[in-house]
Amino acid sequence: MPEMLSLSNDPILFLSLMLAKILAVFIVVILIVAYATYAERKIIGRMQTRLGPTMTGPLGLLQPIADGLKLFFKEDIIPAQSSKLAFLLAPMMILVPAFITVAVIPFGGDVVIKGFAVPLQITDLNIGILYILAMAGLGVYGIVLAGWASNSKYSLLGGIRSAAQVISYELAAGLAIIAVFMLSGTLSLRGIVAAQSGSVLDWYIFSQPLAFCLFVITSLAEINRTPFDLPEAETELVSGFCTEYSSMKYALFFMAEYANMIVVSAITATLFLGGPAGPFAGPINLLLKVFFFMFLFIWIRATFPRVRYDQLMFMGWKVFLPLALLNIVITGAVVVFL
Amino acid sequence: MAKKETMTINMGPQHPSTHGVLQLVLELDGETVVNAVPHIGFLHRGVEKLAENRSYHRALPLTDRLDYLAPMSNNLGYVLTVEKLLGITDQIPERAKVVRVMMAELTRIKSHLVWLATHALDIGAMTVFLYCFREREQIMDMYEKLSGARMTSNYFRVGGLSLDLPEGFVDDVTSFIDDMPGHLDTYEGLLTGNKIWQKRTVGVAPISAEDAIDIGLTGPALRGSGVDWDLRRDNPYSGYEDYDFEVITRDGCDTFDRYKNRLDEMRESCKIIRQAVDKLQPGPILADVPDVCLPPKKDVVNSIEGLIHQFKIITEGFKPEPGEVYQGVEAPKGELGYYMISDGSANPFRMKIRPPSFVNLQALPKMVEGKLLADVIAAIGTLDIVLGEIDR
Amino acid sequence: MIKELIQGLSITAKHLLPGNSTTVEYPKQRLETSERFRGLHHLVLEHDREKCVACYLCPTVCPAKCITIEAGEDKNGKKYPTVYQIDMLRCIFCGYCVEACPLEAIEMTGEYELANYKREDFCFTKERLLK
Ligand code: SF4
Ligand code: SF4
């Protein structure tokens, strides 16, 4: 068993590999973000008997780039009555947590380089899950700030909705995962993947089906996707918290939405589907699982109506939370008595 | 306790789901609506006044632009009123009447499809929107084939129809109504059983039967409150008494029942259309009233009498006896009525339109007060308003 | 409840299969307009000149008052319109002019791409209408 590469045994190699990993992950995530918008438009288009983008490039493949360029060159409007600093900060505050969450997600087993074992993961925090939950919690500040700083009533309503929604659903999501690490006995994502590394049946989706469903649903709510897209519910609040945003700042919100989708898919894959385990090379397995969840999210968006604010709260506090608690109790009983 | 402050927001006139240019001034306490005041008039074109300066014939295209989602129903109401004013109601040939019913029912489906599309979209189910528009497109194609225009049909004429059915039209209609029930099942598959849809519509935007009657609600919105009232059956026109159809009534008083009502109405419309297709016999399409109806084109081109006749009607118009009439039709959105006064000249002295959406809109404040912001959207959708008709 | 949710998902999934698209890719493909389509007007030619005899029926019936005609006489004493102009910005495409014309001298075509840049471009003079 080769020694784990760390800052103490080969600092140069460690740092350069670390940079390479960060860059690789970042590029992959950005690419997926760009093409997730394309895929979403194509898939929803097809489901709605339309074609989606077809004009820019072959099959419309250059559409995300065209969109990006367009947004980049749009006039950047900052409303006169807005609170400037907060207005500027908000889009970054929402995008950055989304991106840095990816840091703890393992995308493969260890590879041996120069006699050292290098984990395919940017960093393995021993409190990985807490870190993820914390970052998810940070993201909501961006939304609230955006809603408040715009000084527009629709934005404000969107911001408030989002705050309430994310807080209530984070609780349920957090409790749903507790059952997982009650089984794994560790908070490190690497550890959790290792705990599922036996056969397919070791994946926690089979031992924790309820937690899996709860987590998928609550995370849909956390990232404000249909049917829980209330903070931006375009038919009610025009565009919710990002009503007043334009140009690149709007693009950041847009990217954050998709980045969040990727993060949530990756977390779900890691916690319940064995992470990088599977028939192919580690990163490909993980990507396939991520794509599966993203497709699911898109599919759901094409199909379901939006729930109402009070119903959302009701479900969060009175359905999902008790279910998550129940799940913990059952898991606890099983762990202790069996 | 801290002082409670409410927030006033302007929903509209530029808002994605106020169906055009409706402005709602909402007073909100958090997300709860304390007070809702609709402001209308952004689309006012003065249709009623314009009609006073046009001959009866030339006022007809104005009606296309009332409820632009159901132009043929508007045309129908108008021509029926003028025919009543002229006293030629029983001279309308059978074929014209049957085609009118057929087109009015197709129009009902067309209008209801847009209603379902936008209603579902407002509540967040965006796929239904495109499915509905796909079917609506077929009706538009039929419109185009028949009248030459996809929206502003301007097809009926005082005394009958402007043109006979084109070749293959009946086949198009039949194949459409054969497919339509299947499509309706698709929409229902996406919505009716869906728990979220039910949550968003059951018990939402309630209005009791008494309130509905007091306000003057008509159409599917009234029938959703359990009041069994349909002009097609209760005050038949254009030969509706000869058709066998059911008036769909449900008494849930809520958005869900109004939704079910309209879907079932589309099914009934398909039945009526099928009966109309069966009834269709060759025959004249214009009443034999030379003072009112334009002569057939071939007469105009070939005979001097026809030419003079054409000149006379177009330059002078026809002059109904002084008097006043009211005629209501069951338009897709409710009772569309025209109240027409003639002073014996070639122009209407006064044309008052009773648009269903205008009256139905009055129910909105009642439906949403004390409810949530999201219910306002559902209420606007369920009332199926069209601003072209409200503002006139 | 779950059953209905899955039913909904299966409906959208079914439409995902190829062959369900109803899109007409507009500039590349065009819809066929019907024979009766009420598009841009066209003045009918007869013996290399317009059939219209400037009888003023169409401007009379036009609800939008968008047809301008000035009548003149040619050397044979036959009436013809020296000016025949339709303001397409006002026209509502009701088709009354066609219906009114006793000579079938004006008709409507399937031409519907009428967007233009200048106000003058919407004034369709006799020459343009005869094309
Ligand atoms: S189509 Fe109607 S509005 Fe247009 S020129 Fe002819 S009569 Fe006038
Ligand atoms: S009605 Fe016909 S003939 Fe008369 S002016 Fe118009 S186009 Fe010419």
Side-chain angles (χ1 to χ4, degrees):
Chain A
M1 184 77 194
E3 198 186 345
M4 199 60 118
L5 180 69
S6 72
L7 203 53
S8 47
N9 49 25
D10 191 343
I12 313 264
L13 184 64
F14 179 79
L15 285 178
S16 50
L17 276 179
M18 183 61 98
L19 270 181
K21 280 192 284 189
I22 291 177
L23 216 62
V25 169
F26 185 73
I27 289 173
V28 168
V29 171
I30 285 275
L31 271 181
I32 304 180
V33 165
Y35 279 90
T37 62
Y38 172 80
E40 171 151 37
R41 291 169 68 176
K42 271 285 185 201
I43 293 172
I44 293 193
R46 287 284 175 181
M47 284 180 173
Q48 298 176 340
T49 72
R50 299 182 285 119
L51 292 176
T54 53
M55 293 299 182
T56 27
L59 297 172
L61 272 170
L62 297 180
Q63 189 66 37
I65 297 165
D67 281 343
L69 279 178
K70 182 199 76 176
L71 284 167
F72 195 73
F73 287 118
K74 284 262 165 169
E75 186 187 354
D76 191 8
I77 299 166
I78 301 177
Q81 300 295 309
S82 65
S83 168
K84 305 272 172 344
L85 184 66
F87 191 80
L88 288 176
L89 273 179
M92 300 173 213
M93 286 187 61
I94 190 170
L95 186 64
V96 171
F99 272 103
I100 55 180
T101 316
V102 190
V104 293
I105 292 176
F107 49 89
D110 294 350
V111 285
V112 180
I113 294 174
K114 284 200 185 163
F116 294 115
V118 180
L120 285 181
Q121 181 183 18
I122 293 175
T123 176
D124 177 31
L125 288 180
N126 52 6
I127 48 154
I129 293 181
L130 284 186
Y131 170 79
I132 289 173
L133 290 176
M135 285 306 130
L138 263 187
V140 69
Y141 281 102
I143 298 185
V144 175
L145 215 55
W148 174 77
S150 309
N151 198 12
S152 142
K153 288 165 179 171
Y154 285 113
S155 304
L156 184 65
L157 280 174
I160 295 173
R161 275 185 178 191
S162 160
Q165 175 175 340
V166 174
I167 290 169
S168 17
Y169 276 75
E170 210 168 279
L171 215 57
L175 288 175
I177 323 182
I178 286 186
V180 170
F181 55 72
M182 280 167 84
L183 290 184
S184 69
T186 168
L187 284 177
S188 142
L189 287 178
R190 194 179 148 84
I192 291 176
V193 169
Q196 300 177 70
S197 59
S199 71
V200 169
L201 286 178
D202 284 337
W203 291 2
Y204 285 140
I205 183 174
F206 298 110
S207 45
Q208 289 291 345
L210 182 60
F212 171 74
C213 295
L214 282 176
F215 185 71
V216 171
I217 297 173
T218 48
S219 40
L220 260 182
E222 257 196 83
I223 57 172
N224 305 327
R225 289 282 302 182
T226 322
F228 307 108
D229 57 344
L230 291 116
E232 40 179 301
E234 73 276 0
T235 50
E236 293 159 28
L237 301 182
V238 189
S239 194
F241 59 88
C242 47
T243 307
E244 303 292 336
Y245 280 88
S246 54
S247 183
M248 257 341 256
K249 291 206 212 54
Y250 176 74
L252 291 186
F253 280 120
F254 207 70
M255 281 162 69
E257 179 178 340
Y258 288 91
N260 271 324
M261 256 166 87
I262 298 170
V263 168
V264 161
S265 311
I267 296 173
T268 321
T270 312
L271 292 182
F272 294 98
L273 294 181
F280 309 106
I284 295 181
N285 288 328
L286 186 68
L287 278 182
L288 284 178
K289 287 169 195 170
V290 167
F291 291 155
F292 167 74
F293 281 111
M294 296 195 45
F295 176 75
L296 188 71
F297 293 161
I298 292 172
W299 191 9
I300 286 177
R301 172 154 182 227
T303 312
F304 295 142
R306 179 182 309 117
V307 298
R308 203 172 62 194
Y309 184 60
D310 60 326
Q311 292 157 358
L312 181 90
M313 287 298 141
F314 179 89
M315 287 199 310
W317 291 101
K318 298 196 176 157
V319 180
F320 295 139
L321 194 65
L323 276 178
L325 284 171
L326 181 74
N327 193 39
I328 292 176
V329 172
I330 296 175
T331 314
V334 170
V335 170
V336 172
F337 295 114
L338 295 180
Chain B
M1 208 180 111
K3 196 172 121 246
K4 252 197 182 168
E5 262 187 60
T6 55
M7 171 164 89
T8 309
I9 63 171
N10 284 307
M11 192 181 230
Q14 288 104 359
H15 186 280
S17 53
T18 49
H19 293 208
V21 284
L22 173 67
Q23 182 187 12
L24 275 178
V25 179
L26 296 176
E27 201 183 326
L28 294 181
D29 175 13
E31 290 236 355
T32 315
V33 179
V34 180
N35 200 356
V37 184
H39 287 210
I40 59 170
F42 292 96
L43 205 62
H44 178 66
R45 291 146 301 170
V47 168
E48 293 179 1
K49 191 72 193 166
L50 283 171
E52 291 171 20
N53 295 305
R54 278 167 167 66
S55 65
Y56 289 95
H57 183 57
R58 282 166 55 215
L60 177 60
L62 295 174
T63 63
D64 284 333
R65 290 151 177 84
L66 290 172
D67 175 359
Y68 38 76
L69 301 176
M72 292 237 191
S73 298
N74 306 337
N75 290 168
L76 180 62
Y78 179 80
V79 296
L80 286 172
T81 316
V82 179
E83 281 159 11
K84 200 165 168 184
L85 192 63
L86 288 161
I88 58 169
T89 309
D90 3 303
Q91 279 155 281
I92 310 304
E94 193 55 35
R95 186 174 170 85
K97 280 195 197 169
V98 173
V99 173
R100 281 176 179 187
V101 167
M102 187 166 93
M103 291 317 291
E105 290 309 317
L106 272 177
T107 306
R108 186 178 316 278
I109 297 179
K110 176 173 146 168
S111 166
H112 280 0
L113 281 173
V114 178
W115 156 78
L116 180 61
T118 50
H119 189 38
L121 183 70
D122 286 350
I123 293 185
M126 55 175 170
T127 301
V128 181
F129 180 85
L130 283 130
Y131 293 173
C132 289
F133 268 64
R134 176 185 60 188
E135 271 70 77
R136 175 175 181 256
E137 193 62 25
Q138 295 181 16
I139 305 186
M140 302 274 261
D141 285 343
M142 288 186 232
Y143 259 56
E144 183 189 319
K145 215 169 176 183
L146 182 64
S147 69
R150 297 167 73 78
M151 282 189 79
T152 50
S153 57
N154 197 25
Y155 171 66
F156 300 148
R157 290 288 182 272
V158 176
L161 312 169
S162 59
L163 296 158
D164 207 344
L165 299 183
E167 212 158 302
F169 185 77
V170 174
D171 300 334
D172 288 356
V173 173
T174 334
S175 80
F176 177 76
I177 52 175
D178 285 344
D179 296 344
M180 194 59 205
H183 293 309
L184 287 169
D185 291 342
T186 308
Y187 313 147
E188 287 222 56
L190 280 169
L191 298 175
T192 308
N194 189 315
K195 196 77 194 163
I196 304 175
W197 178 260
Q198 289 176 359
K199 282 252 179 205
R200 286 300 304 273
T201 52
V202 175
V204 166
I207 188 113
S208 68
E210 291 94 72
D211 284 345
I213 292 174
D214 286 352
I215 289 169
L217 222 58
T218 45
L222 176 71
R223 292 192 285 274
S225 288
V227 183
D228 194 5
W229 177 254
D230 188 325
L231 287 181
R232 288 176 293 173
R233 183 197 60 199
D234 300 317
N235 194 0
Y237 51 89
S238 197
Y240 265 113
E241 59 274 22
D242 304 333
Y243 295 85
D244 174 30
F245 64 98
E246 249 175 78
V247 175
I248 311 289
T249 313
R250 280 189 175 76
D251 52 9
C253 307
D254 60 3
T255 305
F256 186 73
D257 275 9
R258 290 187 278 264
Y259 152 79
K260 285 289 279 177
N261 264 357
R262 288 197 175 96
L263 280 172
D264 286 347
E265 257 176 39
M266 287 195 248
R267 296 200 170 91
E268 286 301 314
S269 290
C270 288
K271 278 193 222 160
I272 301 179
I273 296 169
R274 201 175 295 278
Q275 293 170 38
V277 168
D278 292 342
K279 272 196 184 46
L280 210 55
Q281 299 293 340
I285 52 161
L286 260 182
D288 187 18
V289 193
D291 294 344
V292 174
C293 304
L294 289 176
K297 201 78 187 201
K298 62 175 195 306
D299 289 2
V300 181
V301 180
N302 296 328
S303 80
I304 198 78
E305 290 82 21
L307 190 64
I308 293 170
H309 184 182
Q310 176 99 346
F311 262 83
K312 189 168 168 325
I313 291 181
I314 285 177
T315 48
E316 288 172 21
F318 47 82
K319 298 179 175 147
E321 293 292 304
E324 48 197 76
V325 293
Y326 175 83
Q327 171 73 46
V329 293
E330 186 73 26
K333 297 175 174 65
E335 173 173 350
L336 168 70
Y338 290 86
Y339 182 70
M340 196 91 75
I341 305 181
S342 159
D343 58 355
S345 70
N347 301 351
F349 176 74
R350 174 84 173 94
M351 177 171 87
K352 162 83 183 117
I353 303 165
R354 182 217 185 271
S357 302
F358 177 69
V359 183
N360 290 0
L361 180 64
Q362 295 182 72
L364 187 73
K366 209 164 209 129
M367 284 175 165
V368 300
E369 264 155 39
K371 304 285 172 5
L372 290 171
L373 181 61
D375 290 343
V376 177
I377 308 298
I380 297 176
T382 191
L383 282 174
D384 192 12
I385 51 169
V386 160
L387 270 292
E389 170 173 86
I390 292 176
D391 297 342
R392 277 160 288 156
Chain C
M1 175 183 148
I2 306 285
K3 197 181 124 232
E4 277 87 14
L5 293 181
I6 289 175
Q7 183 194 356
L9 286 173
S10 71
I11 289 175
T12 38
K14 239 181 263 155
H15 284 84
L16 185 60
L17 303 176
N20 276 312
S21 163
T22 48
T23 306
V24 179
E25 291 187 79
Y26 165 58
K28 275 188 258 158
Q29 288 168 299
R30 268 152 221 266
L31 287 174
E32 288 269 313
T33 53
S34 79
E35 249 164 61
R36 292 181 178 175
F37 191 81
R38 303 204 302 252
L40 181 65
H41 303 70
H42 174 240
L43 284 175
V44 180
L45 278 170
E46 196 183 48
H47 310 306
D48 284 341
R49 56 180 291 178
E50 64 281 348
K51 208 172 170 187
C52 170
V53 294
C55 72
Y56 285 98
L57 270 195
C58 53
T60 314
V61 80
C62 174
K65 294 252 165 278
C66 62
I67 309 181
T68 317
I69 300 183
E70 272 167 32
E73 262 179 43
D74 66 3
K75 44 189 183 304
N76 305 333
K78 189 175 179 290
K79 265 178 88 186
Y80 78 103
T82 48
V83 175
Y84 191 109
Q85 189 172 307
I86 301 183
D87 181 357
M88 281 305 156
L89 287 175
R90 291 193 59 97
C91 175
I92 59 171
F93 299 95
C94 63
Y96 273 1
C97 45
V98 178
E99 189 181 74
C101 180
L103 293 177
E104 297 185 322
I106 183 166
E107 58 187 24
M108 288 175 110
T109 59
E111 179 66 39
Y112 53 85
E113 288 154 318
L114 301 173
N116 232 325
Y117 289 101
K118 288 203 289 302
R119 199 161 267 274
E120 305 84 72
D121 293 338
F122 291 95
C123 254
F124 280 76
T125 54
K126 189 169 78 177
E127 288 67 42
R128 288 176 77 187
L129 289 169
L130 278 168
K131 258 186 222 145

